[in-house]
Amino acid sequence: MMTFGMRMRGWGTRTLAFARRPELLAFLPAVTLAAWWMGGEGALIATALAVPLAYALAGIAGVTPAPVAAAPGVDPVTGLGLRDGVERALDIALSGRGDGAATACIVIGLDGADRLARLHGHSAFCEILARTGARLAGAVRRGDVVVRLEGACFAVALAPSPGLDLEGALQTAAHLQDTLEVDLRLDDITVALRASVGLCLAGRAADPGGAGLLAAAIVAMDAAHLHGPGAIRAYADDMRRRSQDIAELRRDLGPALDEGEVQAFFQPQISTCTHRVTGMETLVRWDHPRRGLLAPADFLPGLLAAGLADRLGEVMLSGALRALHRWDRAGHDVPTVTVNFAPEELRNPRLPERVQWELDRFGLTPDRLVIDIPEAVLAQGADEMLRQTLLRLAELGARIDLDALSGGHASVEALERFPVNRLKIAPRFVRGLDGCATRQRTVAALLALAERLDLDTLAVGVETPGDHAILAQLGCRHVQGFAIARAMPEAAATTWIATHTAGIGPPLRIGSPKP
């Protein structure tokens, strides 16, 4: 009896282990069979009763499965170390530089992390981070240290290596970037990842020590984000000042949008046949109170990174339709306005509702609005949410421009999948068109493609009268660029429209003398 009791206490201990380790339940049939073999029918019954009882007791005592707390200094999502880990590794590497070995810090940030989290949800985003961390850990050399920083950023401290120079560090950064930019498969969806990378070699940071080297690499990554997606930048002395300027601009952007400093400017589009205005493209400018008029390149990346794309879209759409309404009331013939939306907005299923509300607010029909879609957005891959948003906008009656048409695979696929009304010829094909026969043949081929598909055409970036004339001869129907007019605020655009229209005069009749 004593032996049987000891056996039962052993079974009880093992059963409680099942409660703490649910994955061990796979062995439950074998355990019950062993109980019957060793203790007979009584042991079998005891085991069958003990397992549920152990789970009940474990639940009462709080032993039921719960997330395992991360060890101190370990990220619970990726299992990697944290910031202090890479700083310590860099301090150790820097202290041993007397033997001629050099080190560097590389910081990698996933592009569009906020969009990934919104699009796929928190759990899937954590899985993306975990698998990204695993990829990095598997791609570095022995002795390199990989940690996770805040958000969707990772840092790598390179183990000291003789002869490590900027070229070698850039090659390592590019290798890590390539490792991350392989599509991830999550359940039944494929996630395309892009990463921006910053790096700093030892001795080039403004502050000595591991913390200073890491901070410099972060500044370089911020600079890469501004030139991204998928850019790589090495730290330079002037980056810190530019990073501070960008941080200041980001702080000012929210109030600037609310107070009307961020404004809609307008660049005319005219017919190559009649020279009449056929539309106005809306372009963003920031009239900064201290820095003057800022172009989009100076603030747009920071604005998008700050999550203000939707707010900017509201300002630009409202400004464009308000101007069109005023031109109608003043008797100016401006058929359409073109508005550019950020990729994040084009994936917003509520965008068509907002567009309809703004059109109704100003008493305009949807065919007066043109939505500009950059080819680069479509080239990011088959995005069903974007496609559905564009289809709903087209069903609403808005017109769709495919911007920066290059004739490549992305262009052809976009023409098949999206409701495009007009093709825009990229500036790289338009500039210098007058003196380049090869470029003229390329543009002629693109225009022929548009004609076969019964699509309208617009050439952007027209800077000389000669390029304008060649485009008209080739059959491009609309042109836009500095040769016609630069982007200007609404008041100046109103004056330009009146002057331009008056200068055209009534259309000539066949046989009538020229003015």
Side-chain angles (χ1 to χ4, degrees):
M1 190 69 182
M2 179 68 71
T3 303
F4 178 75
M6 292 175 64
R7 287 177 179 175
M8 287 301 96
R9 283 194 294 273
W11 291 119
T13 302
R14 292 180 180 89
T15 305
L16 189 58
F18 280 114
R20 294 192 178 96
R21 300 284 304 278
E23 65 273 17
L24 296 180
L25 285 174
F27 297 97
L28 184 57
V31 171
T32 54
L33 182 62
W36 178 82
W37 182 72
M38 297 178 65
E41 185 177 346
L44 178 61
I45 295 173
T47 301
L49 293 173
V51 171
L53 180 61
Y55 268 91
L57 293 174
I60 294 172
V63 183
T64 47
V68 178
V74 175
D75 174 47
V77 175
T78 63
L80 299 174
L82 299 174
R83 176 186 287 262
D84 57 349
V86 78
E87 291 179 352
R88 285 196 303 271
L90 290 169
D91 282 332
I92 294 171
L94 290 169
S95 65
R97 290 176 59 207
D99 58 358
T103 186
C105 182
I106 299 174
V107 175
I108 303 166
L110 294 182
D111 294 320
D114 291 341
R115 183 185 68 83
L116 289 172
R118 289 195 305 270
L119 190 61
H120 302 293
H122 177 71
S123 297
F125 184 62
C126 287
E127 176 68 13
I128 291 171
L129 292 178
R131 291 171 66 175
T132 298
R135 284 181 173 182
L136 280 176
V140 298
R141 307 164 303 168
R142 173 180 286 185
D144 295 342
V145 176
V146 182
V147 306
R148 181 189 172 193
L149 303 178
E150 298 78 10
C153 293
F154 300 83
V156 180
L158 298 185
S161 175
L164 178 66
D165 57 7
L166 181 59
E167 180 65 26
L170 287 170
Q171 289 178 0
T172 301
H175 168 65
L176 296 177
Q177 185 185 57
D178 291 342
T179 300
L180 295 192
E181 292 187 346
V182 177
D183 291 353
L184 277 178
R185 187 73 180 173
L186 295 177
D187 296 329
D188 58 344
I189 60 173
T190 300
V191 180
L193 298 181
R194 299 296 301 276
S196 295
V197 185
L199 64 93
C200 184
L201 284 171
R204 298 198 178 187
D207 301 321
L213 189 55
L214 174 61
I218 292 174
V219 169
M221 186 206 64
D222 287 339
H225 268 308
L226 291 177
H227 295 83
I232 299 177
R233 291 293 183 272
Y235 177 78
D237 290 337
D238 62 342
M239 280 186 177
R240 187 176 297 276
R241 177 183 55 78
R242 286 186 297 184
S243 178
Q244 292 170 348
D245 290 343
I246 291 167
E248 180 183 347
L249 288 176
R250 285 184 180 178
R251 288 194 301 269
D252 294 345
L253 273 168
L257 286 165
D258 295 333
E259 295 170 9
E261 295 175 8
V262 178
Q263 303 173 5
F265 273 47
F266 300 92
Q267 188 171 36
Q269 301 163 345
I270 67 171
S271 167
T272 55
C273 297
T274 66
H275 300 291
R276 293 187 177 277
V277 176
T278 56
M280 286 278 186
E281 180 168 6
T282 312
L283 303 170
V284 62
R285 298 291 186 270
W286 184 1
D287 189 8
H288 196 281
R290 297 187 305 279
R291 305 186 184 199
L293 195 64
L294 300 180
D298 296 325
F299 66 90
L300 197 54
L303 185 147
L304 298 178
L308 295 172
D310 285 341
R311 182 73 184 99
L312 174 65
E314 293 174 3
V315 169
M316 298 303 291
L317 178 62
S318 177
L321 298 182
R322 180 183 294 108
L324 187 58
H325 173 68
R326 288 173 176 166
W327 291 328
D328 285 352
R329 292 184 61 184
H332 298 306
D333 184 15
V334 180
T336 64
V337 287
T338 300
V339 176
N340 301 272
F341 289 107
E344 292 81 1
E345 288 183 280
L346 294 173
R347 295 181 178 93
N348 183 355
R350 303 194 64 180
L351 178 62
E353 298 174 13
R354 175 151 49 100
V355 168
Q356 182 66 74
W357 187 88
E358 290 284 358
L359 288 166
D360 292 342
R361 176 185 171 200
F362 292 105
L364 298 168
T365 55
D367 61 310
R368 307 285 302 280
L369 176 65
V370 180
I371 309 295
D372 189 288
I373 311 298
E375 183 191 55
V377 172
L378 304 181
Q380 293 174 4
D383 191 323
E384 188 60 26
M385 182 66 72
L386 184 146
R387 180 172 178 270
Q388 290 299 324
T389 302
L390 291 181
L391 287 173
R392 289 178 59 199
L393 287 167
E395 291 170 358
L396 193 67
R399 299 176 61 80
I400 308 294
D401 275 3
L402 176 59
D403 195 1
L405 178 71
S406 64
H409 177 267
S411 298
V412 176
E413 184 180 8
L415 295 176
E416 293 177 347
R417 299 184 67 247
F418 294 90
V420 177
N421 302 108
R422 181 168 64 177
L423 305 185
K424 298 178 76 171
I425 310 299
R428 64 178 178 274
F429 295 133
V430 173
R431 294 191 184 102
L433 188 65
D434 187 18
C436 181
T438 301
R439 195 162 295 173
Q440 291 176 24
R441 287 192 293 270
T442 301
V443 172
L446 295 175
L447 293 173
L449 172 65
E451 183 178 6
R452 288 294 185 91
L453 296 173
D454 194 25
L455 298 175
D456 207 354
T457 52
L458 167 67
V460 292
V462 181
E463 296 184 349
T464 67
D467 293 340
H468 183 179
I470 293 295
L471 287 164
Q473 293 172 19
L474 292 174
C476 185
R477 297 184 60 186
H478 310 272
V479 288
Q480 172 185 340
F482 293 166
I484 293 90
R486 293 180 178 269
M488 48 195 146
E490 181 187 336
T494 302
T495 302
W496 184 92
I497 294 167
T499 303
H500 179 79
T501 304
I504 296 174
L508 293 174
R509 296 180 180 274
I510 296 177
S512 61
K514 294 183 179 181

